[in-house]
Coordinates of all heavy atoms in Angstrom, one line a residue:
S21 N -33.2 88.0 31.5 CA -32.6 86.7 31.9 C -32.9 85.6 30.9 O -32.1 84.7 30.7 CB -33.1 86.3 33.3 OG -34.5 86.1 33.3
Y22 N -34.1 85.7 30.3 CA -34.4 84.7 29.3 C -33.4 84.7 28.1 O -33.0 83.7 27.7 CB -35.8 85.0 28.7 CG -36.4 84.0 27.7 CD1 -37.0 82.8 28.0 CD2 -36.3 84.4 26.3 CE1 -37.5 82.0 27.0 CE2 -36.7 83.5 25.3 CZ -37.3 82.3 25.7 OH -37.8 81.5 24.7
A23 N -33.1 85.9 27.7 CA -32.1 86.0 26.6 C -30.8 85.4 27.0 O -30.1 84.8 26.1 CB -32.0 87.5 26.2
R24 N -30.3 85.7 28.2 CA -29.0 85.1 28.6 C -29.1 83.6 28.7 O -28.2 82.9 28.3 CB -28.6 85.7 30.0 CG -28.2 87.1 29.9 CD -27.4 87.5 31.2 NE -28.3 87.3 32.4 CZ -29.1 88.3 32.9 NH1 -29.1 89.5 32.3 NH2 -29.8 88.0 34.0
T25 N -30.2 83.1 29.3 CA -30.3 81.6 29.5 C -30.4 80.9 28.2 O -29.8 79.8 28.0 CB -31.5 81.3 30.4 OG1 -31.4 82.0 31.7 CG2 -31.7 79.8 30.7
M26 N -31.2 81.4 27.3 CA -31.4 80.8 26.0 C -30.2 81.1 25.0 O -30.2 80.7 23.9 CB -32.7 81.2 25.4 CG -33.9 80.8 26.2 SD -34.0 79.0 26.4 CE -34.1 78.4 24.8
E27 N -29.2 81.8 25.5 CA -28.0 82.2 24.7 C -28.4 82.8 23.3 O -28.0 82.4 22.2 CB -27.2 80.9 24.4 CG -26.6 80.3 25.7 CD -25.6 79.2 25.5 OE1 -25.3 78.9 24.3 OE2 -25.1 78.7 26.5
L28 N -29.2 83.9 23.4 CA -29.6 84.6 22.3 C -28.6 85.7 21.9 O -28.1 86.3 22.8 CB -31.0 85.2 22.5 CG -32.1 84.2 23.0 CD1 -33.5 84.9 23.1 CD2 -32.2 83.0 22.0
N29 N -28.5 85.9 20.7 CA -27.5 87.0 20.2 C -28.3 88.3 20.1 O -29.1 88.5 19.1 CB -26.9 86.6 18.9 CG -26.3 85.2 19.0 OD1 -25.5 84.9 19.9 ND2 -26.5 84.4 18.0
V30 N -28.2 89.2 21.0 CA -28.9 90.4 21.1 C -28.0 91.6 21.1 O -27.1 91.7 22.0 CB -29.9 90.4 22.3 CG1 -30.8 91.7 22.2 CG2 -30.8 89.2 22.3
W31 N -28.2 92.6 20.2 CA -27.5 93.8 20.3 C -28.5 94.9 20.7 O -29.4 95.3 20.0 CB -26.9 94.2 18.9 CG -25.8 93.3 18.4 CD1 -25.3 92.2 19.0 CD2 -25.2 93.3 17.1 NE1 -24.3 91.6 18.3 CE2 -24.2 92.3 17.1 CE3 -25.3 94.2 16.0 CZ2 -23.4 92.0 16.0 CZ3 -24.5 94.0 14.9 CH2 -23.6 92.9 14.9
T32 N -28.3 95.4 21.9 CA -29.1 96.5 22.4 C -28.5 97.9 22.0 O -27.4 97.9 21.5 CB -29.3 96.4 23.9 OG1 -28.0 96.4 24.5 CG2 -30.1 95.2 24.3
G33 N -29.3 98.9 22.1 CA -28.8 100.2 21.7 C -28.5 100.3 20.2 O -27.6 101.1 19.8
T34 N -29.2 99.5 19.4 CA -28.8 99.3 18.0 C -30.0 99.6 17.2 O -31.1 99.2 17.4 CB -28.4 97.9 17.7 OG1 -27.2 97.6 18.5 CG2 -28.1 97.7 16.3
E35 N -29.8 100.4 16.1 CA -30.9 100.8 15.2 C -30.6 100.5 13.8 O -29.5 100.5 13.4 CB -31.2 102.4 15.3 CG -31.7 102.8 16.7 CD -32.2 104.3 16.6 OE1 -33.3 104.5 16.0 OE2 -31.5 105.1 17.1
L36 N -31.7 100.1 13.1 CA -31.5 99.9 11.6 C -31.6 101.2 10.9 O -32.5 102.0 11.1 CB -32.7 99.0 11.2 CG -32.7 98.5 9.8 CD1 -33.6 97.2 9.7 CD2 -33.2 99.5 8.8
V37 N -30.5 101.6 10.2 CA -30.4 102.9 9.6 C -30.5 102.9 8.1 O -30.7 103.9 7.5 CB -29.1 103.6 10.1 CG1 -29.2 103.9 11.6 CG2 -27.9 102.9 9.7
E38 N -30.2 101.7 7.5 CA -30.3 101.6 6.0 C -30.5 100.2 5.6 O -30.0 99.2 6.3 CB -28.9 102.1 5.4 CG -29.0 102.2 3.9 CD -27.7 102.8 3.3 OE1 -26.9 103.3 4.1 OE2 -27.4 102.6 2.1
S39 N -31.3 100.0 4.6 CA -31.6 98.6 4.2 C -31.8 98.6 2.7 O -32.2 99.5 2.0 CB -32.9 98.1 4.9 OG -34.0 98.8 4.4
A40 N -31.5 97.4 2.1 CA -31.8 97.1 0.7 C -32.0 95.6 0.5 O -31.3 94.8 1.1 CB -30.7 97.6 -0.2
H41 N -33.0 95.3 -0.3 CA -33.2 93.8 -0.6 C -32.6 93.6 -1.9 O -32.9 94.2 -2.9 CB -34.7 93.5 -0.6 CG -34.9 92.0 -0.7 ND1 -35.3 91.4 -1.9 CD2 -34.8 91.0 0.2 CE1 -35.5 90.1 -1.7 NE2 -35.2 89.9 -0.4
E42 N -31.7 92.6 -2.0 CA -30.9 92.4 -3.2 C -31.2 91.0 -3.8 O -30.4 90.2 -4.2 CB -29.4 92.4 -2.8 CG -29.0 93.8 -2.3 CD -27.6 93.9 -1.9 OE1 -27.0 92.9 -1.5 OE2 -27.0 95.0 -1.9
G43 N -32.5 90.8 -3.9 CA -33.0 89.6 -4.6 C -32.6 88.3 -3.9 O -32.8 88.2 -2.6
E44 N -32.1 87.3 -4.6 CA -31.8 86.0 -4.0 C -30.6 86.1 -3.0 O -30.5 85.3 -2.2 CB -31.4 85.1 -5.1 CG -32.5 84.7 -6.1 CD -32.0 83.7 -7.1 OE1 -30.9 83.3 -7.1 OE2 -32.9 83.3 -8.0
Q45 N -29.9 87.2 -3.0 CA -28.8 87.4 -2.0 C -29.4 87.8 -0.7 O -28.6 87.8 0.3 CB -27.8 88.4 -2.5 CG -27.1 88.0 -3.8 CD -26.2 89.1 -4.3 OE1 -25.4 89.6 -3.5 NE2 -26.2 89.4 -5.6
G46 N -30.6 88.2 -0.6 CA -31.2 88.6 0.6 C -31.1 90.1 0.9 O -31.0 90.9 0.0
W47 N -30.9 90.4 2.2 CA -30.9 91.8 2.6 C -29.4 92.3 2.9 O -28.6 91.6 3.3 CB -31.7 92.0 3.9 CG -33.1 91.7 3.8 CD1 -33.8 90.5 3.9 CD2 -34.2 92.7 3.5 NE1 -35.1 90.6 3.7 CE2 -35.4 92.0 3.5 CE3 -34.1 94.0 3.3 CZ2 -36.6 92.6 3.2 CZ3 -35.4 94.7 3.0 CH2 -36.6 94.0 3.0
R48 N -29.3 93.6 2.6 CA -28.1 94.3 3.1 C -28.6 95.4 4.1 O -29.2 96.3 3.7 CB -27.3 95.0 1.9 CG -26.1 95.8 2.4 CD -25.3 96.2 1.2 NE -26.1 96.7 0.1 CZ -26.6 98.0 0.0 NH1 -26.3 98.8 1.0 NH2 -27.3 98.4 -1.0
I49 N -28.2 95.2 5.4 CA -28.8 96.0 6.4 C -27.6 96.7 7.2 O -26.7 96.0 7.6 CB -29.5 95.2 7.5 CG1 -30.7 94.3 6.8 CG2 -30.1 96.1 8.6 CD1 -31.8 95.1 6.3
T50 N -27.7 98.0 7.3 CA -26.7 98.8 8.1 C -27.3 99.1 9.4 O -28.4 99.6 9.5 CB -26.3 100.1 7.4 OG1 -25.7 99.7 6.1 CG2 -25.3 100.8 8.2
L51 N -26.5 98.7 10.5 CA -27.0 98.9 11.9 C -26.0 99.9 12.5 O -24.8 99.8 12.4 CB -26.9 97.6 12.6 CG -27.8 96.4 12.0 CD1 -27.4 95.1 12.7 CD2 -29.3 96.7 12.1
R52 N -26.6 100.8 13.3 CA -25.8 101.7 14.1 C -25.9 101.2 15.6 O -27.0 101.1 16.1 CB -26.3 103.2 14.1 CG -25.5 104.1 14.9 CD -26.0 105.5 14.9 NE -25.9 106.1 13.6 CZ -27.0 106.5 12.9 NH1 -28.2 106.4 13.4 NH2 -26.8 107.0 11.7
R53 N -24.7 100.9 16.1 CA -24.7 100.3 17.4 C -24.6 101.3 18.5 O -24.4 102.5 18.3 CB -23.5 99.3 17.5 CG -23.6 98.2 16.4 CD -22.7 97.1 16.6 NE -23.1 96.4 17.8 CZ -22.4 95.3 18.2 NH1 -21.3 94.9 17.5 NH2 -22.8 94.7 19.3
A54 N -24.6 100.9 19.8 CA -24.6 101.8 20.9 C -23.4 102.7 21.0 O -23.5 103.8 21.5 CB -24.8 100.9 22.2
D55 N -22.3 102.2 20.5 CA -21.1 103.0 20.6 C -20.9 104.0 19.4 O -19.9 104.7 19.3 CB -19.8 102.1 20.7 CG -19.6 101.2 19.5 OD1 -20.5 101.3 18.6 OD2 -18.7 100.4 19.6
G56 N -21.9 104.0 18.6 CA -21.9 104.9 17.4 C -21.3 104.3 16.2 O -21.4 104.9 15.1
S57 N -20.7 103.1 16.3 CA -20.1 102.4 15.1 C -21.3 101.8 14.3 O -22.4 101.7 14.8 CB -19.2 101.3 15.6 OG -19.9 100.3 16.3
T58 N -20.9 101.5 13.0 CA -21.9 100.9 12.2 C -21.4 99.5 11.7 O -20.2 99.3 11.7 CB -22.2 101.7 10.9 OG1 -21.0 101.9 10.2 CG2 -22.8 103.0 11.3
R59 N -22.4 98.6 11.4 CA -22.0 97.3 11.0 C -23.0 96.9 9.9 O -24.3 97.1 10.1 CB -22.1 96.3 12.1 CG -22.1 94.8 11.8 CD -20.7 94.3 11.6 NE -20.7 92.8 11.3 CZ -20.6 91.9 12.2 NH1 -20.4 92.2 13.5 NH2 -20.6 90.6 11.9
T60 N -22.6 96.4 8.8 CA -23.5 96.0 7.7 C -23.6 94.4 7.8 O -22.5 93.8 7.8 CB -23.0 96.4 6.4 OG1 -23.0 97.8 6.3 CG2 -23.9 95.8 5.3

């Protein structure tokens, strides 16, 4: 309920599957979501 009330952006059922740090550009993170899709 805290997450809903504070309007937090939360993806459940989601795992970090790949990552790379690209210097000043920051991170490139691939996430596998609950429905099996991926999002970078």
Side-chain angles (χ1 to χ4, degrees):
S21 63
Y22 180 85
R24 287 196 301 270
T25 301
M26 296 303 299
E27 297 188 1
L28 308 182
N29 306 314
V30 183
W31 294 357
T32 55
T34 300
E35 293 191 74
L36 188 157
V37 294
E38 188 177 345
S39 67
H41 188 257
E42 300 178 333
E44 294 183 358
Q45 298 179 44
W47 294 89
R48 176 171 47 81
I49 306 288
T50 300
L51 303 170
R52 180 183 296 118
R53 304 193 64 181
D55 61 3
S57 65
T58 60
R59 168 83 176 266
T60 298

